[in-house]
């Protein structure tokens, strides 16, 4: 089947009253401000894309603070304990959604401009930090497991050596007991147990 060559103009129309419809096959952008050096702040919908992209260029950011390993773990724990996830509908609607409450997320992390809305850039950042924290916890668990496994292996090896030494000692005792019995028999001595029983 040949690829579609048009721009969609022939089939593009308004969805209905009070609707905002945009046909921009070359992409679209919404600019809400500028950085100190004139970089556009806003969102971009690239051509052939179905998701908005937000400005996240390293050179446009200030007051950077890279999270430590422990801080990412703290994000994970805080996300799990202080940000409940619910399913819900908006008032007057029936479509179901899933996610946190903006107030809970803001109280836990103090991110974004509003306590009533969640910015996707902050939600993505929290999720990525939590994922890193989970990985760090997994690494720690694997290191602890490896250390315990090594300790168990050393103890098992020591136990095998102790058992082998015990077996050698028991064999030596049996040999000495047999020699004593042989000497007693040659000397005509009664076994110690028999003397004790006779007396």
């Amino acid at each position: 089947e040949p690829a579609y060559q048009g721009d969609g103009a022939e089939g593009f129309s308004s969805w209905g009253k009070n609707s905002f419809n945009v046909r921009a096959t070359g992409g679209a952008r919404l600019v809400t401000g500028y950085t100190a050096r004139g970089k556009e702040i806003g969102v971009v919908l690239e051509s052939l894309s179905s998701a908005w992209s937000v400005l996240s260029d390293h050179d446009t950011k200030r007051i950077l603070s890279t999270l430590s390993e422990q801080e990412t773990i703290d994000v994970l724990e805080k996300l799990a304990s202080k940000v409940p996830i619910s399913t819900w509908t908006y008032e007057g609607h029936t479509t179901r959604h899933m996610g946190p409450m903006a107030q809970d997320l803001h109280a836990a992390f103090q991110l974004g401009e509003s306590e009533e809305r969640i910015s996707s850039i902050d939600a993505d950042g929290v999720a990525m930090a939590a994922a890193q924290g989970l990985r760090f916890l997994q690494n720690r668990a694997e290191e602890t497991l490896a250390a315990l496994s090594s300790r168990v292996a050393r103890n098992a090896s020591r136990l095998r050596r102790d058992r082998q030494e015990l077996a050698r000692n028991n064999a030596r005792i049996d040999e000495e007991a047999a020699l004593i019995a042989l000497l007693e028999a040659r000397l005509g001595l009664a076994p110690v147990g028999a003397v004790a029983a006779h007396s």
Side-chain angles (χ1 to χ4, degrees):
E1 183 179 341
Y4 175 67
Q5 301 295 324
D7 61 5
E10 68 279 3
F12 184 81
S13 62
S14 172
W15 277 357
K17 293 178 60 177
N18 296 320
S19 64
F20 178 66
N21 305 272
V22 177
R23 182 179 62 85
T25 56
R29 76 179 191 272
L30 299 177
V31 179
T32 59
Y34 296 87
T35 68
R37 293 190 293 176
K39 194 85 170 182
E40 292 179 354
I41 299 174
V43 293
V44 173
L45 188 63
E46 303 286 355
S47 177
L48 300 178
S49 175
S50 59
W52 291 104
S53 300
V54 299
L55 178 64
S56 193
D57 182 2
H58 183 279
D59 293 337
T60 64
K61 300 177 181 180
R62 297 294 179 267
I63 320 176
L64 297 176
S65 179
T66 302
L67 271 62
S68 67
E69 177 177 319
Q70 184 55 51
E71 284 174 325
T72 63
I73 293 173
D74 293 342
V75 169
L76 174 63
E77 293 177 346
K78 195 178 292 185
L79 186 63
S81 63
K82 296 187 177 181
V83 184
I85 303 299
S86 308
T87 58
W88 42 270
T89 60
Y90 285 115
E91 291 180 340
H93 295 262
T94 58
T95 302
R96 297 294 290 170
H97 301 279
M98 178 183 293
M101 301 299 113
Q103 291 86 346
D104 294 331
L105 197 67
H106 188 273
F109 301 106
Q110 293 80 50
L111 299 172
E113 298 87 359
S114 171
E115 294 186 15
E116 296 181 350
R117 293 175 177 80
I118 298 175
S119 167
S120 61
I121 197 168
D122 293 325
D124 292 346
V126 168
M128 290 180 186
Q132 288 189 1
L134 182 60
R135 180 56 181 165
F136 287 134
L137 283 179
Q138 183 180 2
N139 289 343
R140 290 184 183 181
E142 289 174 352
E143 290 171 359
T144 300
L145 179 60
L148 290 174
S149 297
S150 178
R151 186 181 305 170
V152 168
R154 290 195 302 271
N155 290 339
S157 178
R158 187 178 301 114
L159 180 59
R160 283 194 299 271
R161 291 195 302 270
D162 290 345
R163 285 177 173 173
Q164 290 169 356
E165 182 64 23
L166 179 61
R168 286 193 295 269
N169 289 338
N170 286 337
R172 192 176 300 118
I173 290 171
D174 290 341
E175 291 175 0
E176 292 175 353
L179 287 173
I180 291 172
L182 180 60
L183 289 173
E184 288 176 342
R186 289 182 176 178
L187 296 174
L189 299 176
V192 176
V195 173
H198 180 73
S199 59

